[in-house]
Amino acid sequence: MEELKEKILAYLETVSKAKSKEIAEKIGAKKREVDKACSDLAKEGKVEYLYIGTSYITLAGKDHTPKQG
C-alpha cells in the first residue's frame, strides 16, 4: 500500500488534479486500490478531494488558482 501511495503522490505532482480512474490508468493500478489509498492519504492530510462537477483528487495545499498572463 505504501508503494501505491508513493506512486499516487508522484503522479499528482505532475498534474493539478486528477480523477481516481485517471490515476489508476496512469500508474497501472486498480481503481478500487487507488480509491482506498487516496482515502488513506486524505486521512493523513496528504491529498484533498475537489468537487468541480465531479470529484477530483489533488495534493493537499496545492494552489489551483488559474495562472494569468
Side-chain angles (χ1 to χ4, degrees):
M1 182 62 85
E2 292 304 315
E3 183 180 337
L4 179 60
K5 288 180 182 179
E6 292 298 321
K7 286 182 178 180
I8 292 168
L9 292 172
Y11 177 69
L12 289 174
E13 287 281 343
T14 67
V15 296
S16 64
K17 62 185 181 307
K19 296 179 183 178
S20 61
K21 182 179 177 183
E22 295 172 24
I23 296 170
E25 289 172 359
K26 295 293 183 182
I27 66 173
K30 294 180 181 173
K31 183 182 177 298
R32 70 170 183 267
E33 293 173 349
V34 170
D35 287 341
K36 172 75 171 103
C38 285
S39 176
D40 289 350
L41 287 167
K43 288 176 189 168
E44 295 169 12
K46 295 180 180 175
V47 302
E48 297 174 336
Y49 290 94
L50 297 175
Y51 297 97
I52 310 169
T54 185
S55 63
Y56 293 93
I57 301 163
T58 186
L59 292 177
K62 195 164 188 173
D63 183 8
H64 296 282
T65 306
K67 306 261 188 270
Q68 294 185 1

